[in-house]
Amino acid sequence: MSNPASKKILIVEDEHDILQLVKLYLEKEGFRTLSATTGAEALRQVRHEKPDLVVLDLMLPEISGLEVCKRLRSAPETAMLPIIMLTAKAEESDTIIGLELGADDYVTKPFSPKTLVARIKALFRRFERKADDGQAQYRYGTLVMDLARHEVTVKKVEVPLTAKEFGLLEHLLRSPGRVLTRDLLLNTVWGYDYHGTTRTVDVHIRRLKQKLPSLNEAIVSVKSLGYKLKDP
Ligand code: CA
């Protein structure tokens, strides 16, 4: 992993003792830290301070950790920000929702700070590997998306897609296993100025599945949230 001092971690936790403990350990490891005790403050800090990773407690006053996670994932600038949730054993169903909403990992309370540090380092390594790939191509089964050529092939036969279909598919291929909300897709593929409704996303996903029958089963809709490409 690159130098921890170049990494800024936002710790979101309303319990003072836990916040201080996590802060202490992360700083001992050389990370720079920021802290927030409410969801609103966390969202503000993310916007202004641009942390490299967020440690997010689920049980927060006012805006819950789940809501914070959902909002971060819905904004294109923070859709890929690494998030580790802190959860209590009793919140197991929330943990599952959190992972569906796009948290990258979770640590159950009470946890040892060493475990948390190890998970944070592992997550940074995972993201650095992704960044190194310089992805010019995505593969999913027999499907290949070539970004430079702006071309999608299945078993080496080209499948013509519209620009929007291509954009949607690119997002899905980039983060398999992760739920992409309709708002995120609308904002990134159509742009903020677009005043369509999230129904537009559904229509285009349907067309994409018709053109790519091999992905029909792999692209799944997740309750009221959005879509996900199953992990291959
Ligand atoms: Ca809490």
Side-chain angles (χ1 to χ4, degrees):
M1 197 187 81
S2 57
N3 185 6
S6 65
K7 301 286 186 200
K8 198 154 62 173
I9 300 177
L10 171 63
I11 310 157
V12 188
E13 170 61 88
D14 59 326
E15 282 158 82
H16 181 78
D17 293 349
I18 299 181
L19 176 63
Q20 289 309 317
L21 182 72
V22 171
K23 194 170 151 63
L24 188 79
Y25 267 83
L26 292 182
E27 287 176 358
K28 214 172 77 185
E29 293 289 325
F31 292 109
R32 284 184 293 154
T33 65
L34 301 161
S35 52
T37 53
T38 67
E41 201 186 331
L43 291 168
R44 232 179 356 255
Q45 294 249 25
V46 167
R47 222 170 23 245
H48 296 299
E49 305 290 336
K50 302 194 172 24
D52 299 294
L53 183 145
V54 179
V55 175
L56 180 63
D57 182 34
L58 269 194
M59 298 298 271
L60 293 169
E62 298 157 46
I63 306 174
S64 75
L66 285 181
E67 183 59 30
V68 171
C69 187
K70 192 171 163 187
R71 291 199 201 171
L72 291 177
R73 287 299 175 244
S74 299
E77 317 81 88
T78 52
M80 297 296 151
L81 177 63
I83 300 174
I84 293 188
M85 293 188 304
L86 298 180
T87 67
K89 193 110 190 87
E91 302 160 6
E92 221 154 55
S93 62
D94 284 348
T95 307
I96 295 165
I97 297 171
L99 291 173
E100 295 245 286
L101 283 178
D104 297 287
D105 200 357
Y106 69 95
V107 174
T108 310
K109 289 178 181 175
F111 57 89
S112 87
K114 267 191 193 152
T115 305
L116 179 63
V117 168
R119 298 285 187 89
I120 288 174
K121 287 183 175 173
L123 194 53
F124 273 132
R125 276 196 300 271
R126 219 160 87 199
F127 272 76
E128 278 171 10
R129 254 203 316 276
K130 264 196 208 164
D132 284 349
D133 282 350
Q135 289 275 30
Q137 262 193 358
Y138 292 107
R139 285 170 184 276
Y140 194 91
T142 54
L143 179 145
V144 179
M145 171 179 273
D146 189 312
L147 293 174
R149 294 176 156 184
H150 214 267
E151 182 185 273
V152 172
T153 57
V154 175
K155 293 182 186 156
K156 302 208 167 90
V157 178
E158 192 182 349
V159 181
L161 297 179
T162 64
K164 299 300 181 215
E165 289 161 356
F166 192 93
L168 280 176
L169 182 60
E170 185 185 345
H171 279 283
L172 290 166
L173 289 169
R174 198 187 294 160
S175 7
R178 175 177 275 186
V179 177
L180 303 174
T181 65
R182 288 184 177 80
D183 284 330
L184 168 72
L185 292 168
L186 201 62
N187 288 339
T188 48
V189 178
W190 277 265
Y192 276 116
D193 317 334
Y194 182 75
H195 292 296
T197 66
T198 46
R199 269 274 300 151
T200 311
V201 177
D202 299 335
V203 171
H204 281 77
I205 289 275
R206 205 158 53 230
R207 269 191 225 143
L208 190 60
K209 287 173 137 195
Q210 281 164 1
K211 287 188 180 177
L212 298 165
S214 67
L215 291 190
N216 202 15
E217 305 268 289
I219 299 176
V220 290
S221 90
V222 182
K223 279 177 260 163
S224 54
L225 290 171
Y227 292 94
K228 161 169 109 171
L229 181 66
K230 283 191 201 158
D231 245 323

